[in-house]
Amino acid sequence: MTQSLLEIKDLSVYFDVPEGVARAVDGVSFNVLPGETLALVGESGCGKSVTSMSILGLIPSPPGRIERGRIIYSGRNLLEEKEEHLRRIRGNEISMIFQEPMTSLNPVLSIGRQVAEPLMVHRGLSREDATAEALSWLERVRIPAAAKRLEDYPHQLSGGMRQRVMIAMALVCQPRLLIADEPTTALDVTIQAQVLTLMHSLKEELGMALMLITHDLGVVAQVARRVVVMYAGQVVEEAPVADIFDNPFHPYTQGLLRSMPRLGQNKGRLAEIPGTVPVLTETIAGCRFAPRCAHQFDRCRIEAPPLFEIADGRRARCWLKRYPDRRKAHV
């Protein structure tokens, strides 16, 4: 069995807010294998970004705190490491591309300076050598007239070009794991496809693992090998990508797939999941999806289901595993 590159075990991240304690991530467990592409999927507020930021020690404290859990990388629990050790890993062995490059890039530093900086910090390169390497990476991410762009500032680039700069910054030290948090959200469809193709080709070239965070199942179908579906701070399903699309088990995953627009099939209103996500500051007795689920029954409302093994490589947090006769025909 292949050893995991990264393993998250029972991770819980809470935030102290005026309304109480928000359990943004509550008992999340999954792993990332060397060289694979894992997609972390779910609607906004389900805990995807908080999980990813916990890996790199980026949770602001206060108001956030790691309540419990372990994040194992190279045999060491990152939650127990000192900040100095995390700084050596962050941007060097594990890199991250954030949702909006305009807010992630420094507006007062040139593009060349920002791409070169990780090489100076982590590899000890001189500014001249780091700038030369930065130019090489700007060319690899296919930025036109890359040499001229070295002296440009973020506001002088388009959204697609800024995202390519973020990819260059993340990959310049050739990390073992790249975390991409909604990397195509603010881009139009054509540029999205270009950025995804670029990320995939560089991933294959470098042999690194990719953890892709998204709510777009179309993106998942293009690039992922395995999918982890999150809802209200918990993992509700995990499966190979083909199983997620061909035979989703959890009612939430089924709802996400039904709500996808399909060419030539949607002549009216798109299917939607009724109701709203639960308030994470409130105590939830049963299944967090039960109030919105067409298959829910008494046990769903009073007892939270564990993460059941459905099959080899498949898990789902649903009582239907134990009581399959309760599944109703979809209407």
Side-chain angles (χ1 to χ4, degrees), residues 135-295:
L135 173 58
S136 172
W137 272 97
L138 291 179
E139 292 171 342
R140 290 177 78 175
V141 298
R142 302 169 196 166
I143 289 185
K148 295 181 180 179
R149 295 298 189 182
L150 284 172
E151 299 303 320
D152 283 353
Y153 290 84
H155 72 274
Q156 296 174 280
L157 304 182
S158 67
M161 290 298 104
R162 287 195 292 266
Q163 196 61 283
R164 290 169 188 266
V165 170
M166 287 294 298
I167 294 172
M169 285 177 61
L171 298 185
V172 70
C173 289
Q174 301 186 35
R176 299 175 66 193
L177 171 63
L178 174 64
I179 302 171
D181 188 357
E182 303 277 10
T184 60
T185 296
L187 307 177
D188 64 52
V189 175
T190 303
I191 303 301
Q192 280 187 26
Q194 293 175 4
V195 169
L196 287 171
T197 300
L198 174 63
M199 288 176 56
H200 180 72
S201 63
L202 290 172
K203 170 200 170 298
E204 294 296 313
E205 179 184 335
L206 299 175
M208 66 180 179
L210 172 61
M211 186 172 129
L212 178 64
I213 299 167
T214 183
H215 62 272
D216 188 339
L217 288 169
V219 169
V220 172
Q222 283 183 262
V223 299
R225 171 185 173 272
R226 218 165 28 103
V227 183
V228 172
V229 182
M230 290 187 66
Y231 179 77
Q234 295 182 329
V235 172
V236 295
E237 185 161 4
E238 178 184 341
V241 66
D243 292 333
I244 285 289
F245 282 90
D246 295 341
N247 186 29
F249 186 91
H250 198 281
Y252 176 63
T253 310
Q254 295 169 7
L256 288 178
L257 289 167
R258 282 196 300 270
S259 66
M260 287 179 63
R262 288 173 172 81
L263 187 64
Q265 295 183 18
N266 296 300
K267 298 181 180 179
R269 184 184 179 94
L270 286 174
E272 60 187 33
I273 302 174
T276 58
V277 295
V279 178
L280 297 181
T281 54
E282 297 178 357
T283 301
I284 304 169
C287 172
R288 298 187 176 192
F289 188 64
R292 308 176 70 184
C293 182
H295 307 284

Side-chain angles (χ1 to χ4, degrees), residues 63-74:
R65 66 179 187 274
I66 308 293
E67 185 70 11
R68 66 177 185 274
R70 291 183 292 165
I71 300 175
I72 309 298
Y73 172 74
S74 293

